[in-house]
Amino acid sequence: MPHFKLVTPVGRSACSSASLSQTVEAEETGIEKVKPLTSGDAQVAMTTIEPNIPVDELRLLVKPLTLEELQNETAAWLLLLKEKVRKISHAEIAIKRQNQTIKKQQEATYALEQAKQALTAAKEYQFRSHLNLKPLPVLEGLKL
């Protein structure tokens, strides 16, 4: 499964010809294929202890880190991100299902009200027919 990242043309650096064609393609489509992050041990990460850390403080914490340490931090942040996205997705599914249930209840309520009105009209028609009274103008258009 390919991984993608959003590319913005602002602040783009100079690229090789292969990278340039990929960047041009990314600008046209809005996405760019990137290699998945496979290295890094999320369990040794230190910056994810407080996920609500301000970005400026996080920048300061990662400045002295080596590439290997940065890969560990990246892996840990990726896990946090995946978990948040999973929770949000489950919440969105629950909301969608709840909205479907509400819609079905509203449709049933509407159908019940229509049935009540039809029953009332039928009873009125039957009552007036029994007494040989002229039907009410409201009832004349109904098919009973």
Side-chain angles (χ1 to χ4, degrees):
M1 181 168 109
H3 293 270
F4 299 94
K5 73 176 180 181
L6 217 41
V7 176
T8 57
V10 177
R12 194 177 72 207
S13 60
C15 312
S16 67
S17 62
S19 177
L20 180 60
S21 66
Q22 190 176 23
T23 302
V24 170
E25 177 188 340
E27 287 177 359
E28 291 172 356
T29 63
I31 54 175
E32 176 183 352
K33 292 182 182 181
V34 294
K35 294 178 184 175
L37 179 66
T38 56
S39 61
D41 183 3
Q43 294 180 351
V44 296
M46 306 209 31
T47 61
T48 55
I49 293 170
E50 178 53 50
N52 296 325
I53 186 170
V55 174
D56 60 332
E57 291 179 21
L58 181 60
R59 280 190 187 115
L60 294 172
L61 287 175
V62 299
K63 272 187 179 183
L65 299 181
T66 64
L67 177 60
E68 183 180 340
E69 291 169 327
L70 287 171
Q71 289 172 334
N72 294 338
E73 298 300 324
T74 303
W77 281 102
L78 182 61
L79 288 176
L80 283 175
L81 176 64
K82 287 171 72 173
E83 180 61 21
K84 284 287 184 186
V85 170
R86 186 190 66 76
K87 286 180 181 179
I88 290 168
S89 295
H90 284 284
E92 288 176 346
I93 289 169
I95 289 169
K96 184 176 181 177
R97 289 179 181 167
Q98 187 175 20
N99 286 342
Q100 289 172 343
T101 300
I102 290 169
K103 183 179 178 183
K104 286 179 183 178
Q105 288 173 344
Q106 289 172 338
E107 290 170 352
T109 301
Y110 178 76
L112 178 61
E113 288 301 318
Q114 294 295 315
K116 284 180 181 179
Q117 289 176 4
L119 179 60
T120 301
K123 285 180 180 179
E124 179 68 26
Y125 181 81
Q126 187 179 29
F127 175 75
R128 291 188 157 279
S129 295
H130 181 66
L131 297 175
N132 291 326
L133 296 174
K134 183 178 178 187
L136 293 173
V138 175
L139 301 176
E140 287 178 350
L142 295 176
K143 295 179 182 176
L144 303 174

